[in-house]
């Protein structure tokens, strides 16, 4: 066992003395040592309940003969960080989480790991760490929030942000806004729609790294605690059989995840995270495959913000395995893959029926014959950009309009709320990419303001930043190359006609190549917005959105001056 390096032999006597200081007994030290990575904190609603999940996992590990040892991972609440400098730090924490977990796991000789994330960057960050460290690992999330209810209708956090736009438009009163504020987030858990946190927890289940229900069992259900106990027990089986993350997260497993991404209508952030996780597993996941898979994968679910169903509804309808089983009727799921259950995908999903065809559309009646995410290319985004097609209204699937250009999110929000954006416009927000932001901020505030102002069916938004899973409408993000490195989005002028054709997977500005060359020659790089601290280091290492915004050491770094 890996823990022998800190437990066994005369040379390890000092190590054992430190375990004595921690209160561990000799009997415990004879057992496999299982690290429990807890993302618990008191600032993220999806994490406030993780202490109970940790306790349940510890019980499960001990019941199955292991020695549970808890250590922490950080987490940022994207909702609280939204719309100010805090959002620059959100995506950047993904790599901090992966790096710090690697450090803890490798430094202390754990035999296995149980990852307990829930929101946004914790799930992909810990999946990246799992692939990198590659010791037996299982995931159990904290679970989704229940939907709120306002005037008898189910609501969620996206409703809250859009309500702010409605107040600005004069179509909602402050009293009505206060009612939304009190009721849309009624419990702990990751916000109740198919936003980024729930997308990634569901895709963790698809990848085979979480047990059945990992993505959908609500946070407040006792079933979630039982799931955590089973995860604690199951890690011992994975250690015994030496089943590791790279045995599970194979290329075929990522294809399954991409297909399910299309069927579920997940957050566009999944198009950042899946390539980054695959990269850590030694797999290069080219986003070009996304459109190929989308062409043959129907969109079966319209959870909020795309529709009026929520995670609790998906859970009741049969959960992720029921959706996988539906796709399998068309032969779209690789079933011969091992999972953390110790069984193959095919064994896991067998008999998992669709209990509600209004929540999970059957193959004969999909929302669309093609998937919920589209990757677009054109002279505005030669290296690609991404849109959540399932959340775009039909009249915006093909759109042309004049560019309204803003070099930061704040200026765009002021223009939208100030009534300066009108039907037909294409809002362009640039210098908000991984490098330019830095940190690739989510644009939930401007997209919600557009929806709240009643412009969701007539205005598009394009950015080299990204979008919250709560965003809806013609919201096109991850434009690559980004403006900060001289991508074509930096060359757009106010009034340029932007042409968007989502069914054809194209996005172009109607500007001649000669004019673009002239603008390119005149373009000069901007001074970095941040020059100190972690974000400055992050900016120097981060790659483009089309590569998952992974960190990469620049060519020539690490050489001495003479070699350079």
């Amino acid at each position: 066992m890996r823990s022998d390096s800190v437990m066994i032999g005369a040379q390890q006597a000092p190590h054992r003395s430190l375990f004595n200081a921690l209160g561990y007994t000799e009997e415990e030290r004879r057992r496999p040592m299982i690290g429990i990575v807890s993302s618990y904190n008191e600032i993220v609603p999806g994490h406030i309940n993780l202490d109970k999940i940790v306790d349940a996992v510890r019980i499960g590990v001990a019941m199955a003969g292991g020695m549970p040892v808890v250590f922490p991972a950080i987490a940022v609440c994207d909702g609280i960080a939204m719309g100010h400098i805090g959002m620059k730090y959100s995506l950047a924490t993904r790599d901090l989480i992966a790096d710090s977990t690697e450090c803890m796991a490798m430094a202390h000789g754990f035999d296995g790991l149980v990852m307990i994330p829930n929101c946004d960057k914790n799930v992909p960050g810990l999946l990246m760490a799992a692939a990198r460290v590659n010791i037996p690992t299982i995931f159990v999330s904290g679970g989704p929030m229940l939907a709120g209810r306002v005037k008898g209708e189910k609501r969620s956090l996206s409703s809250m942000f859009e309500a702010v736009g409605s107040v600005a438009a004069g179509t909602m009163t402050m009293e009505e806004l206060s009612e939304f504020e009190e009721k849309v987030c009624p419990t702990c858990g990751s916000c109740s729609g198919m936003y980024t946190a729930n997308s990634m927890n569901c895709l963790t289940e698809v990848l085979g790294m979480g047990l059945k229900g990992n993505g959908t069992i609500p946070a407040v259900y006792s079933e979630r605690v039982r799931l955590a106990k089973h995860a604690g027990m199951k890690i011992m089986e994975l250690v015994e059989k030496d089943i590791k993350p790279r045995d599970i997260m194979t290329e075929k497993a990522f294809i399954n995840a991409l297909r399910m991404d299309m069927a579920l209508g997940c957050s566009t952030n999944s198009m950042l995270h899946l390539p980054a996780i695959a990269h850590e597993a030694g797999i290069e996941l080219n986003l070009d495959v996304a459109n190929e898979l989308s062409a043959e994968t129907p969109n079966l679910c319209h959870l909020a913000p795309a529709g009026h169903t929520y995670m609790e509804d998906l859970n009741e309808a049969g959960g992720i395995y029921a959706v996988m089983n539906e796709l399998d009727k068309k032969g779209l799921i690789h079933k011969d893959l091992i999972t953390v259950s110790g069984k193959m995908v095919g064994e896991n999903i067998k008999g998992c029926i669709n209990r509600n065809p209004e929540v999970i559309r059957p193959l004969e009646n999909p929302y669309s014959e093609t998937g919920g995410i589209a990757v677009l290319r054109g002279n505005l985004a030669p290296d690609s950009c991404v849109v959540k097609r399932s959340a775009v209204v039909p009249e915006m699937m093909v759109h042309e309009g004049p560019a309204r250009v803003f070099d930061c999110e704040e200026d765009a929000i002021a223009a939208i709320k100030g009534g300066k954006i009108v039907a037909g416009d294409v809002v362009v927000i640039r210098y908000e990419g991984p490098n330019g932001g830095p940190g690739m901020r989510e644009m939930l505030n401007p997209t919600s303001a557009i929806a709240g102002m009643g412009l969701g069916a007539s205005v598009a938004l394009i950015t080299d930043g990204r979008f919250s899973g709560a965003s809806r409408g013609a919201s096109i993000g991850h434009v690559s190359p980004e403006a900060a490195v001289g991508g074509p989005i930096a060359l757009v002028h106010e009034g340029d006609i932007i042409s968007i054709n989502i069914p054809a997977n194209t996005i172009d500005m109607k500007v001649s190549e000669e004019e673009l060359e002239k603008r390119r020659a005149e373009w000069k790089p901007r001074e970095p917005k941040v020059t100190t601290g972690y974000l400055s280091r992050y900016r120097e290492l981060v790659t483009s959105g089309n590569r998952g915004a992974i960190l990469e050491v620049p060519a020539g770094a690490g050489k001495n001056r003479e070699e350079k």
Side-chain angles (χ1 to χ4, degrees):
M1 292 192 297
R2 294 182 73 253
S3 58
D4 288 354
S5 61
V6 296
M7 296 289 191
I8 304 298
Q11 188 70 26
Q12 281 66 42
H15 305 70
R16 291 193 295 273
S17 71
L18 293 169
F19 279 104
N20 288 337
L22 289 164
Y24 291 107
T25 65
E26 182 180 350
E27 291 80 3
E28 287 174 296
R29 295 200 310 268
R30 291 174 185 161
R31 300 177 171 191
M33 184 168 62
I34 306 300
I36 301 174
V37 188
S38 170
S39 299
Y40 169 80
N41 64 38
E42 296 182 350
I43 192 64
V44 185
H47 292 216
I48 191 69
N49 65 317
L50 295 190
D51 55 342
K52 296 176 177 59
I53 303 300
V54 168
D55 288 344
V57 169
R58 291 179 72 164
I59 290 169
V61 170
M63 285 172 64
M67 172 182 160
V69 180
V70 180
F71 65 89
I74 64 167
V76 163
C77 177
D78 275 20
I80 294 174
M82 194 70 65
H84 58 94
I85 192 173
M87 183 45 67
K88 292 180 183 289
Y89 286 88
S90 173
L91 180 61
T93 64
R94 186 184 70 180
D95 296 276
L96 279 178
I97 292 160
D99 292 350
S100 60
T101 303
E102 173 197 356
C103 291
M104 290 294 288
M106 299 306 293
H108 298 106
F110 290 106
D111 297 301
L113 297 169
V114 182
M115 306 291 201
I116 307 179
N118 210 26
C119 291
D120 292 279
K121 308 313 159 303
N122 284 79
V123 185
L126 290 178
L127 282 166
M128 288 165 66
R132 190 186 301 173
V133 174
N134 202 35
I135 63 175
T137 302
I138 191 169
F139 278 66
V140 55
S141 78
M145 184 184 290
L146 293 179
R149 287 185 180 272
V150 181
K151 293 181 172 60
E153 294 185 8
K154 286 186 177 181
R155 298 288 188 173
S156 62
L157 185 65
S158 55
S159 305
M160 186 73 251
F161 279 92
E162 290 179 14
V164 174
S166 297
V167 170
T171 58
M172 180 180 285
T173 66
M174 285 299 296
E175 289 74 20
E176 289 172 315
L177 181 69
S178 294
E179 184 178 5
F180 271 77
E181 184 179 335
E182 291 295 324
K183 295 180 177 178
V184 297
C185 295
T187 72
C188 63
S190 47
C191 295
S192 55
M194 188 56 81
Y195 309 144
T196 306
N198 291 325
S199 294
M200 293 310 302
N201 282 322
C202 289
L203 295 180
T204 297
E205 201 174 324
V206 178
L207 282 169
M209 291 298 293
L211 297 174
K212 180 183 179 184
N214 177 74
T216 59
I217 298 170
V220 294
Y221 284 13
S222 298
E223 186 182 358
R224 174 66 55 181
V225 175
R226 298 198 300 272
L227 177 73
K229 289 178 181 176
H230 282 127
M233 290 185 271
K234 187 59 69 173
I235 187 61
M236 299 306 297
E237 179 184 328
L238 296 175
V239 169
E240 181 184 353
K241 294 180 178 178
D242 197 31
I243 298 173
K244 298 187 286 292
R246 291 194 183 196
D247 300 324
I248 296 169
M249 290 193 283
T250 62
E251 186 172 1
K252 285 184 177 180
F254 282 101
I255 296 300
N256 279 350
L258 281 171
R259 284 200 188 280
M260 281 291 289
D261 196 331
M262 300 299 171
L264 292 167
C266 290
S267 162
T268 50
N269 279 316
S270 62
M271 293 291 103
L272 281 175
H273 300 321
L274 287 175
I277 299 160
H279 178 76
E280 295 291 351
I283 298 164
E284 293 307 312
L285 198 61
N286 189 325
L287 287 187
D288 285 337
V289 76
N291 286 338
E292 297 172 23
L293 297 175
S294 179
E296 58 188 20
T297 306
N299 177 225
L300 304 180
C301 299
H302 264 195
L303 280 76
H308 300 290
T309 54
Y310 296 81
M311 295 304 297
E312 62 202 67
D313 302 313
L314 179 58
N315 188 62
E316 294 295 323
I320 296 307
Y321 283 4
V323 183
M324 293 179 76
N325 206 25
E326 199 70 43
L327 289 186
D328 185 50
K329 293 175 184 177
K330 199 176 175 182
L332 297 178
I333 294 294
H334 292 292
K335 296 189 289 185
D336 57 340
L337 308 176
I338 193 66
T339 70
V340 291
S341 70
K343 299 177 181 178
M344 297 293 180
V345 168
E347 297 175 88
N348 288 341
I349 67 175
K350 186 177 181 180
C352 294
I353 62 170
N354 178 1
R355 297 190 178 91
N356 190 339
E358 297 300 315
V359 177
I360 305 171
R361 289 277 186 95
L363 282 180
E364 310 80 56
N365 183 34
Y367 282 101
S368 68
E369 294 291 344
T370 53
I373 300 261
V375 177
L376 315 182
R377 289 181 187 269
N379 70 356
L380 184 58
D383 289 344
S384 79
C385 56
V386 178
V387 63
K388 186 171 181 174
R389 173 166 37 196
S390 59
V392 180
V393 295
E395 52 266 45
M396 289 299 291
M397 296 295 281
V398 178
H399 179 76
E400 275 194 9
R404 304 300 308 280
V405 183
F406 304 94
D407 287 350
C408 67
E409 177 189 9
E410 290 82 358
D411 290 350
I413 292 170
I416 296 165
K417 292 186 175 178
K420 296 178 181 177
I421 302 301
V422 300
D425 284 348
V426 178
V427 176
V428 177
I429 306 177
R430 61 192 181 188
Y431 294 99
E432 291 284 9
N435 179 294
M440 206 177 186
R441 287 196 286 182
E442 288 184 342
M443 302 293 156
L444 179 56
N445 276 342
T447 58
S448 298
I450 287 169
M453 297 284 283
L455 297 170
S458 59
V459 169
L461 193 154
I462 298 171
T463 181
D464 52 8
R466 59 195 179 93
F467 294 106
S468 164
S471 291
R472 62 188 176 100
S475 304
I476 300 167
H478 311 185
V479 171
S480 302
E482 63 174 293
V485 298
I489 192 172
L491 310 180
V492 180
H493 284 185
E494 184 82 6
D496 286 347
I497 299 300
I498 305 295
S499 175
I500 301 163
N501 190 324
I502 295 173
N505 301 314
T506 62
I507 183 166
D508 292 286
M509 49 180 157
K510 292 194 165 181
V511 178
S512 70
E513 188 55 40
E514 293 77 16
E515 174 62 20
L516 287 178
E517 282 300 323
K518 178 184 173 186
R519 294 181 189 181
R520 195 172 285 115
E522 294 171 350
W523 179 82
K524 292 187 173 106
R526 301 288 181 92
E527 286 296 317
K529 295 177 185 176
V530 177
T531 58
T532 60
Y534 174 61
L535 283 181
S536 179
R537 298 194 299 277
Y538 179 84
R539 178 181 57 78
E540 292 176 0
L541 299 177
V542 71
T543 62
S544 176
N546 70 301
R547 296 186 59 201
I550 61 172
L551 301 190
E552 191 170 76
V553 177
K559 295 182 179 180
N560 62 38
R561 291 181 181 178
E562 287 74 17
E563 288 176 314
K564 288 181 180 178

